[in-house]
Amino acid sequence: MDHFHFKRGRLYAEDVNLSDVAAKVGTPFYVYSHATLARHIQAMESAFNGYPHVVCYALKANSNGAVLRLLAQAGMGADIVSGGELFRARKAGIPGQKIVYAGVGKTESEIRDALRARILMFNVESTEELREIDRVAGLMARRAPIALRVNPDIDAGTHPYITTGMKKYKFGMPVEEALEGYRLARRLRNVDVVGVHKHIGSQLTEMKPFLESAERLVNFVGRIRAEGMDIRYLDMGGGLGIRYDTETPPEPSEWLRNLIPVVRSTGCTLVIEPGRSIVGNAGMLVTRVLYRKRNDLKNFIIVDAGMNDLIRPSLYNAYHRIEPLVRKKRAIIRADIVGPICESGDFFAHDRDLPEVRRGDLLGVRSAGAYGFTMASNYNSRPRVAEVLVRGDRFHVVRRRETYSDLMAKEQVPSFLKPSRKRAAK
Ligand code: LLP
């Protein structure tokens, strides 16, 4: 459930008419709903039903500072994959003790920063990385809490680019190798084994892969404990899907009601890393129709947002519901909705049925709160769009639209390319 709804034919976020926001901040922009975020957090938290847990929100889905602060104030921890995300999490007020750190390529300086922040645990993805964490912790006279990321070799049944728990992908370690990894960890002087981690993919819409991989993990915990190692945290990763179109993913309550019985016997604290299920349907992208055109084959609706603003359709052929912000009685047409970028892959929808829109009309691209702005780029020298947070009947710009000077702010022209005084004098 979200708080985007039509009132007298106009699309509102909570009590704010989104056409009014467009008039004030221009288009395109991302808009997030405070009440929806709060509701998703609450749904996730209450689903634990008293079972000990830490919810480590996956920053990669949406790392806007205001959104993070809201999540931090609601008690969320963080799942991070870079020093930059650590920085953002700390700035938002998320305590180190609620931060888990995954990713196959942690650098020495990132490891140092994480040790300094006294994070809950490193989710380690290879034995070389394990040795490096041990070395860096030794230099800093610290102990590094670690979990190894186990690759349970389960097909999550989602898009190949966002499936991670299979052997052919780069993530984690196969079970047997992970066992060796834990034996190594026990011998290393500066790491403490505290947990086990897995994450099998994203936008999962069935319980089965979650349950199968959880069972494998629990089984694995038994084997590590048999060797005398103490496992306190079971990190089941993220991946819970959302409804973009007609999917019917489990609700958080169903997800956890099924997962908790599998892990209960371990007595471990359950860590989860939801991203999309918290922010995905709490946001949308608002864009304006620039032009229409047609050829023998197709209608095209050209909008002012492009693949640089929301790349999911181009990259994963992802479906996003698109609808006019103002409902009018118009014929239904079938059209491609495309952006202004110079690539054929710059589209939001192919052969989509929608009411015939005209120049200047506003469109909402739904379910864009996750992996929308965080994957945006400046391709085609397009300034990144504004982000807006709605709460009740007010809205707040939580990231201003970039300017042309922002585009060049970090560039430097070497002196040999600068006009010399002599030449300038001529
Ligand atoms: N934990 C780990 C270790 C992850 O790699 C991810 C996502 C998550 C948690 C959060 O997963 P979620 O709950 O959001 O499914 N850009 C793609 C999604 C990439 C997901 C990468 N890892 C998209 O737009 O669909």
Side-chain angles (χ1 to χ4, degrees), residues 92-114:
I94 298 174
Q97 264 313 298
K98 288 187 184 174
I99 297 177
V100 294
Y101 185 3
V104 296
K106 304 175 186 79
T107 66
E108 173 171 349
S109 78
E110 289 176 320
I111 294 167
R112 277 180 186 274
D113 289 346

mmCIF file of all heavy atoms in Angstrom, residues 92-114:
data_model
loop_
_atom_site.group_PDB
_atom_site.id
_atom_site.type_symbol
_atom_site.label_atom_id
_atom_site.label_comp_id
_atom_site.label_asym_id
_atom_site.label_seq_id
_atom_site.Cartn_x
_atom_site.Cartn_y
_atom_site.Cartn_z
ATOM 1 N N ALA A 92 23.574 10.216 8.440
ATOM 2 C CA ALA A 92 22.140 10.160 8.726
ATOM 3 C C ALA A 92 21.875 9.778 10.178
ATOM 4 O O ALA A 92 20.728 9.792 10.627
ATOM 5 C CB ALA A 92 21.459 9.167 7.787
ATOM 6 N N GLY A 93 22.956 9.408 10.883
ATOM 7 C CA GLY A 93 22.798 9.064 12.298
ATOM 8 C C GLY A 93 22.585 7.581 12.556
ATOM 9 O O GLY A 93 22.111 7.199 13.628
ATOM 10 N N ILE A 94 22.916 6.749 11.598
ATOM 11 C CA ILE A 94 22.791 5.300 11.829
ATOM 12 C C ILE A 94 24.031 4.835 12.592
ATOM 13 O O ILE A 94 25.158 5.044 12.146
ATOM 14 C CB ILE A 94 22.645 4.539 10.493
ATOM 15 C CG1 ILE A 94 21.361 4.986 9.782
ATOM 16 C CG2 ILE A 94 22.647 3.020 10.735
ATOM 17 C CD1 ILE A 94 21.157 4.420 8.395
ATOM 18 N N PRO A 95 23.832 4.221 13.761
ATOM 19 C CA PRO A 95 24.991 3.816 14.564
ATOM 20 C C PRO A 95 25.765 2.678 13.901
ATOM 21 O O PRO A 95 25.173 1.807 13.245
ATOM 22 C CB PRO A 95 24.371 3.355 15.888
ATOM 23 C CG PRO A 95 22.922 3.138 15.623
ATOM 24 C CD PRO A 95 22.548 3.909 14.402
ATOM 25 N N GLY A 96 27.085 2.699 14.064
ATOM 26 C CA GLY A 96 27.929 1.645 13.506
ATOM 27 C C GLY A 96 27.432 0.255 13.879
ATOM 28 O O GLY A 96 27.469 -0.666 13.066
ATOM 29 N N GLN A 97 26.926 0.127 15.075
ATOM 30 C CA GLN A 97 26.480 -1.172 15.574
ATOM 31 C C GLN A 97 25.300 -1.761 14.800
ATOM 32 O O GLN A 97 24.917 -2.905 15.026
ATOM 33 C CB GLN A 97 26.120 -1.054 17.062
ATOM 34 C CG GLN A 97 27.247 -1.472 17.974
ATOM 35 C CD GLN A 97 27.880 -2.800 17.543
ATOM 36 O OE1 GLN A 97 27.226 -3.831 17.518
ATOM 37 N NE2 GLN A 97 29.166 -2.749 17.171
ATOM 38 N N LYS A 98 24.728 -0.937 13.908
ATOM 39 C CA LYS A 98 23.624 -1.449 13.074
ATOM 40 C C LYS A 98 24.013 -1.493 11.607
ATOM 41 O O LYS A 98 23.141 -1.507 10.735
ATOM 42 C CB LYS A 98 22.393 -0.544 13.234
ATOM 43 C CG LYS A 98 21.693 -0.684 14.572
ATOM 44 C CD LYS A 98 20.404 0.124 14.537
ATOM 45 C CE LYS A 98 19.708 0.095 15.884
ATOM 46 N NZ LYS A 98 18.541 0.999 15.882
ATOM 47 N N ILE A 99 25.328 -1.470 11.332
ATOM 48 C CA ILE A 99 25.750 -1.435 9.929
ATOM 49 C C ILE A 99 26.436 -2.745 9.531
ATOM 50 O O ILE A 99 27.350 -3.205 10.219
ATOM 51 C CB ILE A 99 26.692 -0.234 9.668
ATOM 52 C CG1 ILE A 99 25.941 1.082 9.935
ATOM 53 C CG2 ILE A 99 27.226 -0.269 8.234
ATOM 54 C CD1 ILE A 99 26.786 2.341 9.781
ATOM 55 N N VAL A 100 25.982 -3.330 8.431
ATOM 56 C CA VAL A 100 26.676 -4.488 7.855
ATOM 57 C C VAL A 100 27.227 -4.074 6.499
ATOM 58 O O VAL A 100 26.645 -3.233 5.808
ATOM 59 C CB VAL A 100 25.753 -5.730 7.723
ATOM 60 C CG1 VAL A 100 25.345 -6.253 9.086
ATOM 61 C CG2 VAL A 100 24.517 -5.445 6.870
ATOM 62 N N TYR A 101 28.369 -4.651 6.154
ATOM 63 C CA TYR A 101 29.105 -4.172 5.002
ATOM 64 C C TYR A 101 29.397 -5.325 4.040
ATOM 65 O O TYR A 101 30.210 -6.197 4.338
ATOM 66 C CB TYR A 101 30.405 -3.508 5.502
ATOM 67 C CG TYR A 101 31.278 -2.836 4.465
ATOM 68 C CD1 TYR A 101 30.903 -2.763 3.132
ATOM 69 C CD2 TYR A 101 32.481 -2.262 4.838
ATOM 70 C CE1 TYR A 101 31.714 -2.143 2.196
ATOM 71 C CE2 TYR A 101 33.305 -1.633 3.903
ATOM 72 C CZ TYR A 101 32.912 -1.589 2.582
ATOM 73 O OH TYR A 101 33.711 -0.983 1.660
ATOM 74 N N ALA A 102 28.713 -5.346 2.882
ATOM 75 C CA ALA A 102 28.903 -6.382 1.859
ATOM 76 C C ALA A 102 29.667 -5.812 0.669
ATOM 77 O O ALA A 102 30.072 -4.656 0.676
ATOM 78 C CB ALA A 102 27.554 -6.933 1.417
ATOM 79 N N GLY A 103 29.855 -6.625 -0.351
ATOM 80 C CA GLY A 103 30.521 -6.162 -1.573
ATOM 81 C C GLY A 103 31.812 -6.918 -1.817
ATOM 82 O O GLY A 103 32.572 -7.145 -0.873
ATOM 83 N N VAL A 104 32.066 -7.265 -3.084
ATOM 84 C CA VAL A 104 33.222 -8.130 -3.391
ATOM 85 C C VAL A 104 34.542 -7.372 -3.454
ATOM 86 O O VAL A 104 35.596 -7.979 -3.514
ATOM 87 C CB VAL A 104 33.026 -8.887 -4.736
ATOM 88 C CG1 VAL A 104 31.846 -9.846 -4.651
ATOM 89 C CG2 VAL A 104 32.842 -7.921 -5.898
ATOM 90 N N GLY A 105 34.490 -6.037 -3.429
ATOM 91 C CA GLY A 105 35.735 -5.297 -3.660
ATOM 92 C C GLY A 105 36.024 -4.201 -2.657
ATOM 93 O O GLY A 105 36.248 -3.052 -3.030
ATOM 94 N N LYS A 106 36.033 -4.551 -1.367
ATOM 95 C CA LYS A 106 36.303 -3.519 -0.350
ATOM 96 C C LYS A 106 37.782 -3.124 -0.408
ATOM 97 O O LYS A 106 38.656 -3.990 -0.401
ATOM 98 C CB LYS A 106 35.970 -4.058 1.044
ATOM 99 C CG LYS A 106 34.532 -4.578 1.179
ATOM 100 C CD LYS A 106 34.290 -5.202 2.545
ATOM 101 C CE LYS A 106 32.930 -5.865 2.670
ATOM 102 N NZ LYS A 106 32.861 -7.217 2.043
ATOM 103 N N THR A 107 38.061 -1.835 -0.403
ATOM 104 C CA THR A 107 39.459 -1.392 -0.443
ATOM 105 C C THR A 107 39.995 -1.215 0.975
ATOM 106 O O THR A 107 39.225 -1.172 1.945
ATOM 107 C CB THR A 107 39.600 -0.038 -1.158
ATOM 108 O OG1 THR A 107 38.929 0.959 -0.371
ATOM 109 C CG2 THR A 107 38.976 -0.070 -2.553
ATOM 110 N N GLU A 108 41.320 -1.070 1.069
ATOM 111 C CA GLU A 108 41.926 -0.906 2.394
ATOM 112 C C GLU A 108 41.336 0.298 3.122
ATOM 113 O O GLU A 108 41.005 0.231 4.306
ATOM 114 C CB GLU A 108 43.451 -0.754 2.276
ATOM 115 C CG GLU A 108 44.059 -0.415 3.627
ATOM 116 C CD GLU A 108 45.581 -0.451 3.658
ATOM 117 O OE1 GLU A 108 46.196 -0.938 2.693
ATOM 118 O OE2 GLU A 108 46.135 0.015 4.676
ATOM 119 N N SER A 109 41.183 1.411 2.404
ATOM 120 C CA SER A 109 40.711 2.600 3.128
ATOM 121 C C SER A 109 39.239 2.436 3.530
ATOM 122 O O SER A 109 38.817 2.916 4.587
ATOM 123 C CB SER A 109 40.941 3.872 2.312
ATOM 124 O OG SER A 109 39.976 4.007 1.314
ATOM 125 N N GLU A 110 38.482 1.725 2.730
ATOM 126 C CA GLU A 110 37.089 1.458 3.123
ATOM 127 C C GLU A 110 37.041 0.559 4.356
ATOM 128 O O GLU A 110 36.216 0.757 5.261
ATOM 129 C CB GLU A 110 36.329 0.820 1.955
ATOM 130 C CG GLU A 110 36.049 1.801 0.812
ATOM 131 C CD GLU A 110 35.371 1.165 -0.395
ATOM 132 O OE1 GLU A 110 35.732 0.023 -0.764
ATOM 133 O OE2 GLU A 110 34.487 1.796 -0.986
ATOM 134 N N ILE A 111 37.915 -0.431 4.377
ATOM 135 C CA ILE A 111 37.960 -1.341 5.537
ATOM 136 C C ILE A 111 38.336 -0.559 6.801
ATOM 137 O O ILE A 111 37.732 -0.722 7.864
ATOM 138 C CB ILE A 111 38.955 -2.495 5.268
ATOM 139 C CG1 ILE A 111 38.435 -3.375 4.112
ATOM 140 C CG2 ILE A 111 39.191 -3.328 6.529
ATOM 141 C CD1 ILE A 111 39.445 -4.361 3.547
ATOM 142 N N ARG A 112 39.307 0.335 6.651
ATOM 143 C CA ARG A 112 39.721 1.173 7.789
ATOM 144 C C ARG A 112 38.542 1.992 8.323
ATOM 145 O O ARG A 112 38.295 2.044 9.524
ATOM 146 C CB ARG A 112 40.812 2.155 7.369
ATOM 147 C CG ARG A 112 42.183 1.579 7.378
ATOM 148 C CD ARG A 112 43.198 2.630 6.939
ATOM 149 N NE ARG A 112 44.493 2.006 6.816
ATOM 150 C CZ ARG A 112 45.351 1.854 7.827
ATOM 151 N NH1 ARG A 112 45.073 2.348 9.017
ATOM 152 N NH2 ARG A 112 46.493 1.236 7.658
ATOM 153 N N ASP A 113 37.844 2.661 7.393
ATOM 154 C CA ASP A 113 36.712 3.500 7.816
ATOM 155 C C ASP A 113 35.666 2.677 8.552
ATOM 156 O O ASP A 113 35.101 3.106 9.557
ATOM 157 C CB ASP A 113 36.057 4.172 6.595
ATOM 158 C CG ASP A 113 36.948 5.251 5.994
ATOM 159 O OD1 ASP A 113 37.931 5.655 6.655
ATOM 160 O OD2 ASP A 113 36.653 5.697 4.860
ATOM 161 N N ALA A 114 35.406 1.481 8.037
ATOM 162 C CA ALA A 114 34.384 0.632 8.658
ATOM 163 C C ALA A 114 34.832 0.161 10.039
ATOM 164 O O ALA A 114 34.023 0.080 10.968
ATOM 165 C CB ALA A 114 34.073 -0.552 7.747
#
